Amino acid sequence: AIKSLDGAERLLRLESLNLYSNKLADISELLRLRPLSFLAELDLRLNPIIKQESYRLFAIKYLPRLRRLDGADITSNERSRADCLFANLDYSSSGEGSEDGCDETEETAQVAEQEPSA
């Protein structure tokens, strides 16, 4: 079973990655996928990582080219929520900042309440 995405950053042309039912647990492992500019679909269902609070929004924020995550299309509402929730964290190499119009305190509370449990 896969526990780390070490080396995945070299798969530059990868468009879809199915890691269904593995042992990925550390949310920071997703950051290894940031160089994959063609990655549009990612499936991490049945991995411990999906139990982490705001996992889906973290993946949407830091893998902005994704169109589908865990078998579900990513909505514009989710993108907005992810931008607001993670506005103060900068894991990007491009230094992406926060989006205008985010009330971070209110949005963070709303996301925590609305986040579906895995």
Side-chain angles (χ1 to χ4, degrees):
I2 296 171
K3 295 180 181 180
S4 171
L5 296 175
D6 185 33
E9 61 274 9
R10 294 187 296 256
L11 303 171
L12 298 176
R13 293 257 188 219
L14 193 66
E15 296 177 15
S16 180
L17 182 57
N18 185 339
L19 293 167
Y20 188 89
S21 192
N22 277 284
K23 302 285 185 198
L24 287 169
D26 185 351
I27 201 165
S28 68
E29 286 293 316
L30 296 180
L31 298 174
R32 295 179 187 267
L33 301 177
R34 287 188 58 82
L36 307 183
S37 58
F38 294 99
L39 187 63
E41 187 166 353
L42 178 63
D43 194 340
L44 295 170
R45 289 177 287 183
L46 296 183
N47 278 271
I49 196 173
I50 68 167
K51 295 178 182 174
Q52 293 188 30
E53 183 176 347
S54 301
Y55 142 77
R56 184 172 173 88
L57 295 179
F58 182 91
I60 291 168
K61 171 67 177 176
Y62 296 107
L63 301 172
R65 294 169 199 93
L66 284 182
R67 299 291 166 249
R68 286 181 64 79
L69 179 60
D70 299 335
D73 289 342
I74 295 169
T75 67
S76 58
N77 183 312
E78 286 178 308
R79 288 198 191 282
S80 295
R81 289 171 49 210
D83 284 342
C84 287
L85 181 62
F86 296 105
N88 292 328
L89 295 179
D90 185 9
Y91 291 111
S92 71
S93 57
S94 64
E96 295 171 30
S98 72
E99 296 293 314
D100 292 337
C102 290
D103 179 346
E104 297 168 29
T105 306
E106 181 181 335
E107 184 66 24
T108 301
Q110 289 174 355
V111 169
E113 292 172 3
Q114 296 174 1
E115 196 62 20
S117 56

